[in-house]
Amino acid sequence: MHTRRPHRRTRTGAALLAAAALLIPGCSSESTASSTAGSAAAKEERAALAPLPGSTPAALTRYHEQKPAWRDCGVAGFQCATLKAPLDYAEPAAGDVRLAVARKKATGPGKRLGSLLVNPGGPGGSAIGYLQAYAAIGYPENVRARYDMVAVDPRGVARSEPVECLDGPEMDAYTRTDITPDDEKETGTLVASYKKFAEGCGADAPKLLRHVSTVEAARDMDIVRAALGDEKLNYVGASYGTFLGATYAGLFPDRAGRLVLDGAMDPSLPARRLNLEQTQGFDTAFTAFAEDCVRQSDCPLGGAGTSSGQAGKNLKAFFDELDTRPAPTGDADGRRLTESLATIGVIAAMYDEGAWPQLREALTSAMKENDGAGLLFLSDSYYERDADGEYSNLMFANAAVNCLDLPPAFESPDDVRRALPDFEKASPVFGEGLAWASLNCAYWPVKATGEAQRIEARGAAPIVVVGTTRDPATPYRWAEGLAGQLSSARLLTYDGDGHTAYGRGSACIDSAINTYLLDGTPPKDGKRCS
């Protein structure tokens, strides 16, 4: 899934429809009980991503020798360009993909260190939007002084030939579809919704849909690196952006420069395990929210002394009520707050503890006053729905990448039903909905080309892997898992709440990362901050 700060979102999947499209689709028969005990053995058996040859193949030379024709973006201080990459790296002559690139040049003083690529995650988040709205303004001044801040929207995302699947009204219907079906009729409606979404994506981009994998996006980044004139790639990736960055390091270990992977994903886990462990992550985050909430005078989930478990039961009862009686919202398009929209609204606020007061207020309005406007606003921000009822392509690209990277978590509704006990144990509040949301890739029009695998990147320079102990979307154990695979990893831990750690208020984290980016000195492996 993603973060509540507008500049950094992450979703593994396409949201609870999309939210389990916020979860990563995949397949595995591992249960909650076996996931920990079998983790080490499973990772040892998993094949490692093989590096590509050190020299550029002749068929790709023309791409690596491109010179960006920079132009004014229309946003003060930013330049934009378009680069080409092969649609299919196995057949470079088959056609091209156009990649949108933006930069803000180093401001000085100090010696320029090259380019610093940034990616906010998703998959599907616009790196250019992130750069222009936050990174080129919010990153530390001394980092911006010495790096050209650069972003490329991955293929299929935002400005780089975006995948489109449904129009605004169709997405409205999709996002309010019941994701906790009570009978065969409701199950059929959910399956039909997934199929319509998938068919829309397939009709929009039948060729591109086969070539939006993370491996291809990582190879595109190497073309961008070469076009920028950098010998090595310097990079800060958040959430899914850590998977993209780690994949780059695995493919091109000798070209990996200073890499920061913040809110790390574990590439060795199959989709069902990823979905299950992310469900546990959201439960951990909700527990922290609930414990804080019941200490406040305006908590609608219970007063002082209420356990987090009881607060969760109270919230689940509210969701169940919405399942039969959606709440009014005053929305201009007549939308009401359904169980699925409310669930996404709550999940959205889990990404940043700074949103907890807003969530308390929204829950109070919905639970006490039958006014769902606040939760609908949180849900809309998660889905990137604007005031005109139009959606960005975030959720479309999210599904397109995830469904290509890993085989589906479930093949049928019966598979989901068998897994429900594990998911409900992982999260009594969110488990049922997130399990059903993990079914979306079963109906994808393109078969997955990727698989779960270790990434070792042997020979790469030190790579900083950052994990937050109560991260909802990328559980801390994933950071431990990735750091345990990368041969040169330095694990940096933030003991706190929210999704990702860099630039979120910890002077300890920020100092360690800034020192690494500016001096090349990584933090000591195992360093902890709070």
Side-chain angles (χ1 to χ4, degrees):
M1 293 197 183
H2 56 289
T3 136
R4 275 324 321 140
R5 293 169 71 190
H7 66 271
R8 192 177 286 174
R9 296 193 171 201
T10 279
R11 300 164 169 92
T12 42
L16 209 36
L17 265 199
L22 297 186
L23 288 172
I24 296 181
C27 76
S28 166
S29 60
E30 293 169 290
S31 67
T32 303
S34 66
S35 64
T36 300
S39 178
K43 289 178 181 178
E44 287 302 321
E45 295 170 2
R46 193 84 56 197
L49 177 65
L52 291 171
S55 59
T56 301
L60 299 180
T61 300
R62 66 185 180 93
Y63 297 105
H64 284 256
E65 292 181 348
Q66 294 176 91
K67 302 299 181 185
W70 295 108
R71 62 187 184 279
D72 191 308
C73 284
V75 179
F78 290 91
Q79 297 175 309
C80 290
T82 300
L83 295 173
K84 293 180 179 180
L87 173 67
D88 183 352
Y89 276 91
E91 297 183 30
D96 297 335
V97 172
R98 295 182 302 277
L99 304 174
V101 185
R103 75 175 178 182
K104 190 170 186 180
K105 297 190 73 173
T107 57
K111 180 181 178 182
R112 179 181 172 277
L113 296 174
S115 305
L116 180 64
L117 268 70
V118 296
N119 184 282
S126 171
I128 292 177
Y130 170 67
L131 176 70
Q132 294 178 342
Y134 174 74
I137 303 169
Y139 269 46
E141 184 177 357
N142 54 354
V143 173
R144 292 182 282 120
R146 300 185 64 192
Y147 282 102
D148 291 346
M149 301 293 293
V150 178
V152 53
D153 281 346
R155 52 175 64 201
V157 174
R159 298 164 178 82
S160 295
E161 301 196 20
V163 173
E164 301 290 343
C165 304
L166 302 176
D167 63 22
E170 289 171 332
M171 271 298 287
D172 281 346
Y174 180 76
T175 60
R176 63 174 175 258
T177 302
D178 185 359
I179 40 75
T180 57
D182 300 315
D183 52 36
E184 288 298 331
K185 181 179 179 181
E186 291 186 353
T187 300
T189 299
L190 178 61
V191 168
S193 184
Y194 284 141
K195 288 181 177 179
K196 182 174 182 178
F197 185 97
E199 289 167 358
C201 296
D204 175 73
K207 293 183 179 178
L208 180 61
L209 214 61
R210 303 175 188 277
H211 297 287
V212 292
S213 70
T214 297
V215 165
E216 288 162 313
R219 298 188 71 172
D220 292 346
M221 286 205 302
D222 197 53
I223 289 176
V224 174
R225 174 204 59 77
L228 293 171
D230 292 329
E231 291 187 7
K232 293 181 179 290
L233 180 83
N234 300 311
Y235 174 86
V236 178
S239 198
Y240 162 79
T242 68
F243 180 34
L244 180 59
T247 300
Y248 181 90
L251 294 174
F252 307 103
D254 58 330
R255 299 175 195 170
R258 299 172 188 178
L259 269 59
V260 177
L261 309 180
D262 183 15
M265 291 180 58
D266 184 344
S268 72
L269 300 180
R272 193 183 301 188
R273 271 280 300 283
L274 286 168
N275 286 356
L276 183 60
E277 292 187 8
Q278 192 180 61
T279 299
Q280 293 171 324
F282 278 101
D283 194 70
T284 297
F286 175 76
T287 297
F289 163 74
E291 290 174 347
D292 176 79
C293 183
V294 300
R295 292 194 292 266
Q296 314 300 323
S297 60
D298 61 344
C299 181
L301 301 179
T306 303
S307 68
S308 60
Q310 183 59 52
K313 291 179 181 178
N314 295 340
L315 180 60
K316 188 64 167 66
F318 170 62
F319 287 162
D320 292 342
E321 182 179 340
L322 291 174
D323 192 24
T324 56
R325 289 187 296 277
T329 64
D331 177 66
D333 295 320
R335 293 179 301 153
R336 297 174 71 85
L337 183 70
T338 62
E339 177 189 17
S340 56
L341 290 170
T343 300
I344 286 295
V346 173
I347 281 174
M350 295 297 98
Y351 284 85
D352 188 343
E353 67 273 25
W356 290 358
Q358 181 182 4
L359 177 59
R360 287 200 310 272
E361 182 179 351
L363 285 172
T364 298
S365 295
M367 297 175 72
K368 305 295 185 183
E369 302 165 16
N370 197 34
D371 178 1
L375 285 174
L376 183 64
F377 176 83
L378 286 169
S379 176
D380 283 350
S381 69
Y382 185 83
Y383 284 116
E384 295 194 354
R385 182 191 192 271
D386 65 24
D388 296 326
E390 296 298 320
Y391 291 76
S392 76
N393 99 307
L394 170 65
M395 301 314 304
F396 311 140
N398 182 267
V401 175
N402 283 326
C403 294
L404 200 60
D405 275 351
L406 290 173
F410 301 112
E411 299 285 352
S412 70
D414 285 342
D415 285 347
V416 178
R417 294 186 185 102
R418 284 190 288 269
L420 278 175
D422 284 346
F423 277 78
E424 290 175 325
K425 181 180 179 181
S427 177
V429 178
F430 305 118
E432 181 183 9
L434 294 181
W436 281 104
S438 305
L439 181 61
N440 68 314
C441 285
Y443 309 102
W444 203 244
V446 177
K447 187 176 181 179
T449 57
E451 61 182 2
Q453 56 191 336
R454 293 171 57 83
I455 298 180
E456 298 176 351
R458 294 191 178 278
I463 298 172
V464 177
V465 176
V466 188
T468 298
T469 56
R470 293 183 293 281
D471 191 313
T474 53
Y476 179 67
R477 64 195 300 173
W478 291 0
E480 293 179 308
L482 179 59
Q485 296 165 45
L486 291 170
S487 62
S488 61
R490 303 291 190 272
L491 178 62
L492 176 62
T493 298
Y494 174 56
D495 187 1
D497 298 291
H499 183 42
T500 72
Y502 185 43
R504 299 191 70 248
S506 170
C508 174
I509 290 289
D510 291 354
S511 175
I513 292 175
N514 294 338
T515 297
Y516 170 64
L517 290 176
L518 294 170
D519 301 338
T521 304
K524 181 180 178 181
D525 188 32
K527 180 179 176 63
R528 298 183 72 91
C529 298
S530 59

